[in-house]
Every structure is written in C-alpha cells, then in structure tokens.
C-alpha cells in the first residue's frame, strides 16, 4: 500500500504514489510505486541526466577510447574524479577528460568547427589512441550541431580512426536510464558485427552490464579464466572499443545489470540468436548460483564446482564471522535500481541482515517487480526519493547503516548514521566471493565504528553494540 509520508506529502501530494510499503499477502504487481516517469517539480531528485547515463555509466568505462564531450566545459565536470572504474592498462579512462569547451559564441554561431578542431587535437595529443566516442549535450543538441557530419569529415581526414556518436543530451529522457538505452541501441545498430575477435576457447561469453566498479570485473574475469571460458566482450567494465564491436561472436550473454544493458542483450538474441542468461554476481550464494548456471550451459559443471570449492574454502569462515556480527542489523539500499534486487537477498541470506527500505532513482516497473518479489514484508520502497522522504524514513525505521551514494550519504550523516557508498563502494570490489567479504567488512566497520557516537546524537537503538572498526575477521 502507499505509505503516507507527512512532511513531503503535504507539499507534493503526487509523491504518495512513489512510496510503498510491502504488506502481507499483497499482490505485488498491483502495488508497485510509480517509476520511470518525470520527476515532480519541487521534488529534489537525486537522479542523473540522460547524457550521464550514456557517458558516465557505460561509454566512459572503455579503457582505450577518447571520450569527447561536445558541450560547455561544465558537462565534463562529473567525470574521472567521481567514477571508480579502473582498468588493467593503467586507468587511461580515469586520467583524462576531453571536451569541445563550448563558449557563448559557439552557441550563437554554431559549434561544429569547434568540435572538429577538438577531435583533431585530441587524436594528435594521443597518437596511440584510434577510437573515440563523441557525445552531444543539452547545449549542442539544442542548437542542432550535426555531430555526425563533423565526425564523418574528421574520420575521412584522419583515415585510421573509428568514432562512435552518442546523441543523447541530458533532456532526452526522465533520468540516466534513457542514456543506457540510447547507447545500447546505437552500439548494436552501428558497431556490433564490424570486428572479428580472435576465438581462443570453445566456450565464449559476453559479460553484459558490469562496469568494473573498484575492480568487480577483474573478479569475474578471474573466475571465467579458471573455468576456461573466454570473455569476448565485457560491456563495458575494463572493456575495449573493438571487443565490443565483436559481441556477435559470443555463444552466451551473461547479464548482470539488466537495467543498463538488458537492451543490448535482447538485441543480440534477436539479431544473432545469442541466448541471454541473467545472473546475480554480487553475493556469496548468488555467485555460486551464477557460476553453476554458466557451467551448466557449456556442460563444464565440474570446472564451475572447482572454482566454487576453492573460493568458498577461502572465504566462508570470514563470511561466517561477519554474519555473526551483522545478523539482525537493519540496512537501507538506496541506489539506482538493480542493486536493490541484487543485494537484498544477498544481505539477508548471506549475512542475516534485515533490509528495511529500498529506494531506486530510475528503476522501471520490471525492476520494482523483482525488488518487491525479493523483499520482505514491512520494507519501504521508494521511487526517485527526495530529501524530505529520506529524512522521514530514516527517523521512522532507524536503520543501522545505509547503502547509498555520497549525495544522499551526506544527508544520512547529518542524522549521525553511517552510510556505505553503494555506487562506488568504500573498499571494493564487492562482486564475487571476495567481494561479498569486502562488503560485509565495510558494513561491519560502519555499524561498529564508535565515530557516530562521538558526535553526540544517535538515532539508532540504544542497545546498538559499538566496537572498534578494524577488520577482526582474519
Ligand atoms: Fe546498473 Fe550500475 Fe545500477 Fe546503473 Fe548507476 Fe552504478 Fe547504480 Mo550508480 S549501471 S543501474 S546507472 S548497476 S552508476 S554501476 S551504482 S546508480 S544501481
């Protein structure tokens, strides 16, 4: 049923349909919060823009590609220093930012010449790099700059470069989710099938919807290597431009973040007949399930079991140690969308925690269906939550810790509650077996740190045990 939040609903009554509480026996399909619709004016949204979904989430991860942002310099601000996706080539993608640096005169007289100049300059500065993505932004889309024409002429002039255009200005949709969609579809339309990868194993997959946050991808790559499975393309964690052009050659699409990359997985199935297998690769139990599913697909169950046995032997004791101390602790998951359904059962089953609220910035109805199916009764579900709602929910449920981003995290800290960065992580990776332990350790350190108590106010239960924050599990 909708949950009445007094502070916010008084001023923005329409928000009532965006906050729900799961009740006993409810037919969840009938009681989903509204989602993937425009933010209500006056509600202080935590969403990103559509350009952000294309550039910051997916395209910008590629490790061998110049990311040319065609717009005012401000659109390039939120880039390398706010994202945490390393790569095995020295983090090229995190070291630089490129922008056509549009000024007022370009807006008045057109920015195409400026873009052409910027493209040529960037390739000249980085002579070893031959791949580029060009993004439109609100300003350049509004004045109608023809980036494709500019790119065509630059490619002709340079000869040996390949450039991909993403036409997804900030206003293209209601959130970053639109940017995922635009990039997925443009990539399959224009780039997939234009490169032939070298096949080195009888078992080949694409890993879709994982962005190497603090090394998540490296963990998965290690497991696949041990199983003898070749990753043709990783969309897009630690990925390369050309590997993604060769996605049509994989036998299976292993999909983790279905929200950001389900589109390309579906298209690969439609156009090339490659099956889509959805997995959860966060969580100790889920990861075992994922490896078993991949093993079963190729008939190499024994290899999957060998990896599982090795990893479980290495990490099970530590998980048990943390479970002992985290069981019953109340946690909120307030991130983009998919992490809600990936993490809720993982935290509950692996660690005995209680997920008391889940908030999604841009999840669609299908995401909420999954979230609510995996969530408990009494859990509060929020779509596109705002500051007032977050405060009210925190006071109502008094969680022990909140998994969210730095922006909402700053609010959480005002109430002297600990938060863990659920987007970029505190001390990741969080994926796989070792990742589950890292996540448990961060949660433990946050909950048991005496820091919040030193601030004088603590809205948590008085009995909350406080201890030191070092890793005691080893
Ligand atoms: Fe997928 Fe992501 Fe997420 Fe996402 Fe994001 Fe992210 Fe997220 Mo931040 S692709 S939908 S747009 S899992 S950046 S790596 S953590 S909101 S829940």
């Amino acid at each position: 049923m909708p949950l009445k939040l007094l502070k916010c609903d008084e001023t923005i009554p329409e928000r009532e349909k965006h906050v729900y509480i799961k009740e006993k026996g409810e037919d969840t399909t009938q009681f989903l919060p509204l989602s993937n619709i425009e933010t209500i004016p006056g509600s202080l949204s935590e969403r990103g823009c559509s350009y952000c979904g294309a550039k910051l989430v997916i395209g910008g991860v590629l490790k061998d590609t110049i990311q040319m942002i065609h717009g005012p310099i401000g659109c390039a601000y939120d880039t390398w220093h706010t994202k945490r996706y390393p790569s095995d080539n020295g983090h090229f993608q995190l070291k630089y930012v490129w922008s056509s640096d549009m000024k007022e005169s370009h807006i008045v007289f057109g920015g195409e010449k400026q873009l052409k100049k910027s493209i040529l300059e960037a390739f000249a500065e980085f002579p070893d790099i031959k791949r580029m993505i060009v993004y439109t932004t609100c300003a350049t889309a509004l004045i109608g700059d023809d980036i494709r024409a500019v790119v065509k002429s630059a490619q002709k002039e340079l000869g040996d470069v390949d450039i991909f255009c993403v036409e997804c200005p900030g206003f293209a949709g209601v959130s970053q989710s639109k940017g995922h969609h635009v990039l997925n579809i443009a990539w399959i339309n224009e780039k997939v099938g234009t490169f032939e990868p070298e096949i080195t194993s009888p078992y080949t997959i694409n890993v879709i919807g994982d962005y190497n946050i603090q090394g998540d991808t490296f963990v998965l790559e290690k497991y696949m290597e041990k199983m003898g499975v070749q990753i043709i393309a990783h969309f897009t964690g630690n990925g390369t431009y050309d590997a993604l052009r060769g996605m049509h050659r994989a036998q299976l699409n292993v999909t983790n973040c279905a929200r950001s990359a389900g589109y390309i997985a579906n298209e690969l199935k439609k156009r090339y007949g490659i099956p889509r297998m959805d997995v959860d690769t966060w969580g100790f139990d889920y990861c075992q399930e994922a490896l078993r599913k991949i093993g079963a697909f190729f008939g190499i169950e024994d290899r999957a079991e060998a990896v599982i046995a090795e990893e479980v032997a290495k990490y099970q004791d530590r998980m048990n140690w943390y479970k002992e101390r985290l069981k019953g602790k109340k946690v909120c998951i307030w991130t983009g969308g998919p992490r809600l359904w990936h993490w809720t059962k993982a935290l509950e089953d692996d660690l005995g925690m209680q997920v008391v609220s889940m908030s999604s910035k841009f999840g669609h109805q299908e995401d909420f269906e999954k979230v609510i199916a995996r969530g408990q009764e009494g859990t509060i579900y929020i779509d596109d939550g705002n500051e007032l709602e977050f405060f009210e929910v925190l006071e109502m449920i008094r969680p022990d810790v909140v998994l969210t981003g730095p922006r909402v995290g700053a609010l959480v800290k005002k109430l002297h509650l600990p938060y863990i960065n659920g987007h970029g992580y505190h001390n990741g990776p969080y994926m796989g077996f070792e990742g589950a332990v890292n996540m448990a350790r961060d949660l433990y350190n946050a909950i048991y740190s005496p820091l919040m108590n030193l601030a004088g106010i603590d809205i948590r239960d008085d009995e909350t045990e406080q201890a030191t924050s070092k890793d005691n599990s080893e």
Side-chain angles (χ1 to χ4, degrees):
M1 60 179 274
L3 177 71
K4 198 105 190 116
L5 289 178
L6 299 174
K7 285 179 194 156
C8 187
D9 289 354
E10 263 170 28
T11 35
I12 316 175
E14 303 95 312
R15 281 294 306 164
E16 207 191 333
K17 296 200 177 79
H18 294 263
V19 189
Y20 273 67
I21 187 159
K22 182 171 172 179
E23 293 208 322
K24 203 176 167 71
E26 253 187 344
D27 173 1
T28 51
T29 57
Q30 300 303 311
F31 296 97
L32 298 168
L34 288 182
S35 65
N36 192 33
I37 56 173
E38 276 172 33
T39 296
I40 299 160
S43 181
L44 191 60
S45 176
E46 295 292 336
R47 283 171 164 174
C49 70
S50 300
Y51 148 77
C52 151
K55 160 68 179 67
L56 273 98
V57 179
I58 303 183
V61 185
L62 293 179
K63 64 184 175 187
D64 64 346
T65 302
I66 292 171
Q67 308 282 335
M68 181 59 70
I69 301 158
H70 185 35
I73 196 68
C75 299
Y77 169 77
D78 199 12
T79 47
W80 84 99
H81 62 307
T82 58
K83 295 302 282 189
R84 298 182 180 181
Y85 29 64
S87 60
D88 59 10
N89 67 343
H91 324 302
F92 175 73
Q93 73 288 358
L94 293 177
K95 284 184 184 159
Y96 305 99
V97 169
W98 300 267
S99 163
S100 58
D101 190 17
M102 297 277 286
K103 297 287 194 319
E104 196 177 356
S105 63
H106 304 122
I107 301 294
V108 176
F109 299 108
E112 291 172 4
K113 277 192 201 134
Q114 177 76 356
L115 175 61
K116 173 90 179 280
K117 195 173 136 239
S118 305
I119 293 174
L120 298 179
E121 213 177 287
F123 279 121
E125 275 299 316
F126 298 91
D128 298 337
I129 302 288
K130 300 290 178 196
R131 304 289 179 256
M132 178 185 279
I133 303 181
V134 177
Y135 302 85
T136 51
T137 57
C138 294
T140 49
L142 275 171
I143 62 170
D145 273 3
D146 186 350
I147 67 165
R148 286 182 187 274
V150 176
V151 160
K152 211 169 152 194
S153 100
Q155 280 196 146
K156 209 169 149 202
E157 208 168 308
L158 293 166
D160 58 348
V161 303
D162 198 301
I163 307 177
F164 174 59
C165 295
V166 178
E167 294 184 275
C168 186
F171 57 75
V174 300
S175 72
Q176 54 264 65
S177 176
K178 181 68 180 187
H180 306 151
H181 191 183
V182 170
L183 192 145
N184 273 243
I185 300 302
W187 188 266
I188 185 115
N189 283 344
E190 294 168 35
K191 293 298 172 196
V192 173
T194 62
F195 179 81
E196 288 306 318
E198 194 191 330
I199 307 289
T200 55
S201 161
Y203 317 114
T204 55
I205 62 171
N206 293 316
V207 177
I208 292 186
D210 163 60
Y211 304 97
N212 203 25
I213 305 298
Q214 279 204 23
D216 277 354
T217 300
F218 298 146
V219 176
L220 296 179
E221 285 176 349
K222 195 167 61 188
Y223 300 157
M224 289 305 108
E225 202 184 313
K226 281 187 185 167
M227 283 170 63
V229 174
Q230 183 190 357
I231 300 175
I232 299 283
H234 211 124
F235 189 96
T236 54
N238 195 36
T240 65
Y241 189 100
D242 284 354
L244 291 174
R245 293 165 65 198
M247 290 180 97
H248 60 297
R249 288 298 176 213
Q251 293 155 289
L252 175 68
N253 288 313
V254 176
T255 309
N256 183 55
C257 176
R259 176 71 285 122
S260 63
Y263 314 102
I264 199 162
N266 290 347
E267 291 304 317
L268 285 162
K269 184 171 181 186
K270 256 193 248 163
R271 302 183 197 192
Y272 298 98
I274 309 169
R276 164 177 163 172
M277 175 188 283
D278 284 25
V279 293
D280 298 88
T281 44
W282 287 289
F284 211 78
D285 288 349
Y286 275 151
C287 196
Q288 298 183 42
E289 206 181 298
L291 295 183
R292 286 198 175 106
K293 272 162 84 172
I294 298 168
F297 179 86
F298 291 116
I300 49 170
E301 290 90 340
D302 50 332
R303 296 188 191 182
E305 291 306 332
V307 174
I308 292 168
E310 191 187 335
E311 296 293 318
V312 170
K314 251 194 256 172
Y315 297 109
Q316 185 71 64
D317 286 352
R318 290 198 227 174
M319 281 303 276
N320 295 345
W321 192 94
Y322 286 116
K323 185 171 187 173
E324 203 41 48
R325 285 145 186 92
L326 290 172
K327 63 176 180 242
K329 297 294 181 203
K330 292 192 275 185
V331 55
C332 299
I333 308 172
W334 292 349
T335 55
R339 289 175 188 213
L340 279 55
W341 43 266
H342 283 296
W343 286 353
T344 179
K345 273 185 92 55
L347 293 177
E348 291 186 343
D349 294 352
D350 290 355
L351 296 170
M353 299 182 83
Q354 195 192 342
V355 179
V356 285
S357 171
M358 291 189 255
S359 173
S360 153
K361 289 195 211 190
F362 52 76
H364 297 202
Q365 294 290 281
E366 67 197 60
D367 299 304
F368 270 108
E369 275 171 21
K370 290 189 212 172
V371 169
I372 294 177
R374 289 182 174 187
Q376 301 290 337
E377 281 160 25
T379 299
I380 298 168
Y381 302 89
I382 314 171
D383 165 68
D384 188 19
N386 64 42
E387 191 167 323
L388 277 179
E389 290 163 349
F390 288 135
F391 274 141
E392 195 167 334
V393 168
L394 287 175
E395 279 169 0
M396 194 185 294
I397 56 185
R398 298 156 66 103
D400 294 292
V401 64
V402 181
L403 279 158
T404 190
R407 272 174 292 176
V408 180
L411 299 180
V412 174
K413 282 198 284 190
K414 281 187 194 168
L415 294 180
H416 299 187
L417 288 168
Y419 99 90
I420 299 287
N421 189 337
H423 297 261
Y425 311 153
H426 270 43
N427 301 287
Y430 282 178
M431 216 166 250
F433 301 93
E434 65 201 78
V437 173
N438 290 339
M439 195 175 183
R441 185 195 55 220
D442 280 349
L443 288 163
Y444 170 82
N445 282 344
I447 293 171
Y448 284 91
S449 163
L451 192 65
M452 293 299 167
N453 278 354
L454 294 176
I457 313 160
D458 189 345
I459 69 160
R460 287 173 292 169
D461 294 331
D462 295 330
E463 315 89 66
T464 305
E465 258 179 276
Q466 301 294 318
T468 55
S469 64
K470 62 180 196 289
D471 182 350
N472 295 319
S473 74
E474 291 162 73

